[in-house]
Amino acid sequence: MRELRIAAVADIHLGEDLRGHYRKKIEGIERRADVLLVGGDLTRHGTIPEAQVVAEELSGLPIPVVAVLGNHDYHSDRNEEITDLLRDAGITVLDDEGAVVPIDGVRLGVAGGKGFGGGFAGKCASEFGEPETKAFVRHTKEIAERWRRALKELDADHKIVLSHYSPVKDTLMGEPPEIYPFLGSYMLAEAADAEGADLFIHGHAHAGTEKGVTPGGIRVRNVALPVIKHAYTVYCLNGDHC
């Protein structure tokens, strides 16, 4: 079984003023990677015109594209329309579910979605107190359970989790600790560790760091554009950059 090359990026924040710019930066990506994963914040304000730019920039590539939405993509309450628009353009958009991408006889399973916050072990919110607090934590718990089921049901040779929010605080180093609960949750890592994965990709933490690991040993990579400082970066599943 040959090594798969995973191109990944997040937080590209495209708008109408950038039409055509990102596409130029990913020309020839098929020579370096077998699939492109995009970890949310595709747009700036979650508008349909911005999403149309995203569709133009990412559609018709020689390799499959799998994406999730980020918090910016929800801002205008058009997230369902954005998802449909991108899917119509041939982009696989995950919304707390999984998909299998066949690549030269290898079945790559990708599960995930936007994710959500809540914090990390020892310093996290709990499902207690006001209805608003309980709803916040319950939302992440429900997402994590859907991811767990999606990973379990994937019939694939390799599995990757794709998220916007982080599963660990390792990749948040550089961000103010006060906002960690709004950047990710340990429950996302628990879902991945419960069913197993080769790699966990996320974005959102612009001032964070690239590399981390879940308690169960899954490599976590923050691919926010300000972190990787390139149009995308490439990982191999049995190592790292390739």
Side-chain angles (χ1 to χ4, degrees):
M1 188 180 300
R2 77 175 184 83
E3 180 69 277
L4 293 182
R5 302 164 299 166
I6 313 299
V9 67
D11 303 274
I12 55 178
H13 293 290
L14 297 180
E16 294 178 81
D17 58 318
L18 292 178
R19 180 175 271 110
H21 287 256
Y22 189 71
R23 185 66 171 223
K24 290 178 183 177
K25 294 179 179 179
I26 59 176
E27 286 180 358
I29 190 173
E30 70 277 9
R31 295 192 293 271
R32 296 196 60 213
D34 300 300
V35 63
L36 173 62
L37 306 184
V38 190
D41 277 6
L42 314 173
T43 67
R44 295 170 184 166
H45 302 100
T47 67
I48 296 303
E50 290 174 344
Q52 289 171 337
V53 174
V54 175
E56 292 171 13
E57 302 295 285
L58 298 181
S59 65
L61 288 177
I63 60 174
V65 180
V66 183
V68 299
L69 301 189
N71 58 306
H72 280 244
D73 307 316
Y74 274 70
H75 180 66
S76 298
D77 298 324
R78 308 293 293 274
N79 49 289
E80 292 185 1
E81 295 170 73
I82 290 173
T83 296
D84 290 342
L85 188 158
L86 296 178
R87 286 175 174 168
D88 288 344
I91 299 163
T92 299
V93 183
L94 301 179
D95 185 11
D96 301 339
E97 58 198 324
V100 174
V101 182
I103 302 171
D104 293 341
V106 180
R107 294 169 60 81
L108 175 66
V110 186
K114 175 178 63 66
F116 204 53
F120 304 92
K123 296 181 180 179
C124 59
S126 62
E127 199 174 342
F128 180 86
E130 298 93 328
E132 294 82 1
T133 301
K134 288 187 283 190
F136 182 88
V137 176
R138 189 179 305 120
H139 183 56
T140 307
K141 184 181 292 186
E142 291 169 352
I143 287 171
E145 181 54 34
R146 289 194 287 269
W147 290 13
R148 191 191 309 261
R149 288 198 301 269
L151 280 167
K152 185 175 183 178
E153 293 169 1
L154 279 176
D155 180 13
D157 301 305
H158 297 285
K159 297 181 182 182
I160 295 176
V161 182
L162 180 62
S163 172
H164 185 58
Y165 286 74
S166 176
V168 296
K169 60 184 178 182
D170 304 12
T171 51
L172 305 183
M173 300 299 290
E175 296 280 3
E178 293 84 359
I179 67 171
Y180 279 17
F182 304 102
L183 298 177
S185 168
Y186 74 96
M187 288 186 274
L188 305 179
E190 285 188 340
D193 285 339
E195 300 301 334
D198 298 278
L199 186 64
F200 195 122
I201 296 290
H202 77 88
H204 196 33
H206 292 202
T209 55
E210 182 187 3
K211 297 181 179 181
V213 63
T214 69
I218 298 171
R219 286 178 299 147
V220 179
R221 298 294 180 260
N222 175 8
V223 297
L225 193 60
V227 172
I228 62 173
K229 302 185 189 315
H230 295 284
Y232 60 90
T233 190
V234 180
Y235 302 108
C236 283
L237 290 184
N238 68 355
D240 215 328
H241 291 291
C242 57

